[in-house]
Amino acid sequence: MHIYLIGTGPGNPDLLTVQAKEAIEASTLLVGDKRMLEPFVDSGKQLVATYRRDEICRLAASRTDEDGPMAVLVSGDVGFFSLAALLKNIPDCTVTRIAGISSLVYFAAALETSWNDVFIVSRHGRQEPLIPAVRQHAKVFVLTGGRESPAALCRSLCEAGLGNVKVAIGCNLSYDDEVILRGTAADFTERGDDALAVMMIENDDARSWQRPVHGLPDGAFLRGKAPMTKQEVRSVALSKLAPSADAVVYDIGAGTGSCTVELALQAPFGKVYAFEINGDALHILQQNIAHFDLANVTVVSGDAKERLKDIETPPDYVFIGGTKGRLSAILDEVYRKNEACAVVVTAITIETLAALTAYYSARRDYDLDITQVSTARSQKVGASHLMMAQNPIFIVTIVRRSDAS
């Protein structure tokens, strides 16, 4: 059975490629969303309005070669946030994918701008972070949908202090009632909800310094009475953890927030939960989060041993800088949420290191890597510089063995 998987472009049949038109002409059954099928109502072909994979597979299984080819019509391009991604490996079928014009390509052309330098965010049935993307990229393309309308997204931009970014909104692209609007985010907060809309957001003040880094200078942070993890230790410890850009990270014993800030910068499209019990540290922690204008950090005050149970989202990575003697209970709760999460612990005392090795001695599913970091900083004394030793730190990296069951 031969199936054509066809990208129909923005929607106007005039924008179908020649290859797509030939495949549609050769097919006796057309399947797709109602909007995709409307231009072919009078074609004499069998039309089935569905976008469910199971129904499409049943239709394919019910046909024989004598019935002729079947075409599945999808909007835009088959490789750009498309239903086509769900239609791989249809049993007993040969599938030919035919490219179409995506909304990004069409809109960029209409705006007379390039799209190779665009960062893409989808809020069409997804919750990909928008604010960090706009803060870090000069040009962001957004697929909107449902409650995630251009007006709602512009309100979010304004609430984040980005009301002056340039915004272009495209509605009903390629149709007779196509509308393209230009302005700032603040201009469109009261606009009605638009169906079939996309956005192009340009931020001339995009801050490349907020891209993931290791080891910001200590002077970049606000300081208080609570101790702060020093730059050299942060650099090594966070490189050991190496969270992905969309990771969920727990920072347990966040202190004044130097590690929290760096973790949030390394995971701009993820979420960082900063656990801290000390009142003075919590005050500076909140100030540092505001100082770096971070929108992806949630502060969890109180005893981490108890508060961990209140967080429903399981961690992908955990950084532990302090446990108030509750290390085992904290690790038990972490692994209850996700037994495969990566963990890095910094320890200043031999006793903490001993507690760690004892905890994992009976857990053969995990590998430990122990590094000791000893650093010294120069201090000017008269005309000379003396090296002043910092406290040595043990950095313990724990990962689940790949062969663990």
Side-chain angles (χ1 to χ4, degrees), residues 146-319:
R147 296 179 181 176
E148 304 296 311
S149 67
L153 296 178
C154 284
R155 288 193 291 270
S156 297
L157 289 168
C158 290
E159 290 168 3
L162 294 167
N164 290 326
V165 297
K166 290 180 284 188
V167 172
I169 299 173
C171 307
N172 303 318
L173 295 180
S174 81
Y175 291 98
D176 293 339
D177 56 350
E178 173 183 284
V179 174
I180 295 178
L181 305 171
R182 299 172 188 257
T184 67
D187 294 332
F188 301 120
T189 57
E190 302 303 320
R191 181 174 171 78
D193 291 344
D194 295 295
L196 303 178
V198 297
M199 300 169 66
M200 189 76 80
I201 304 170
E202 295 185 48
N203 182 9
D204 294 335
D205 298 319
R207 287 175 282 187
S208 59
W209 63 266
Q210 280 199 332
R211 298 182 190 277
V213 295
H214 292 295
L216 288 172
D218 290 346
F221 301 96
L222 304 177
R223 301 291 296 274
K225 295 180 180 179
M228 183 183 78
T229 304
K230 298 298 190 292
Q231 177 185 18
E232 296 81 4
V233 174
R234 257 185 288 118
S235 180
V236 176
L238 299 186
S239 67
K240 292 282 189 181
L241 191 63
S244 58
D246 59 351
V248 175
V249 187
Y250 290 1
D251 182 8
I252 299 175
T256 58
S258 61
C259 291
T260 297
V261 166
E262 295 222 41
L263 288 167
L265 294 176
Q266 290 181 49
F269 307 110
K271 185 76 173 177
V272 177
Y273 293 90
F275 296 81
E276 180 52 51
I277 193 172
N278 181 277
D280 290 336
L282 280 166
H283 178 67
I284 302 299
L285 171 62
Q286 295 277 19
Q287 288 187 325
N288 272 313
I289 292 169
H291 179 63
F292 282 85
D293 199 18
L294 300 171
N296 60 334
V297 178
T298 296
V299 175
V300 185
S301 62
D303 189 339
K305 173 179 174 293
E306 302 299 329
R307 294 305 311 277
L308 276 167
K309 299 173 184 177
D310 300 332
I311 308 301
E312 295 183 0
T313 309
D316 302 306
Y317 302 84
V318 175
F319 180 77

Side-chain angles (χ1 to χ4, degrees), residues 63-87:
R63 295 172 63 82
T64 66
D65 291 337
E66 287 72 23
D67 294 321
M70 164 181 165
V72 179
L73 310 184
V74 299
S75 62
D77 177 64
V78 291
F80 188 71
F81 294 100
S82 174
L83 167 69
L86 302 177
L87 299 177

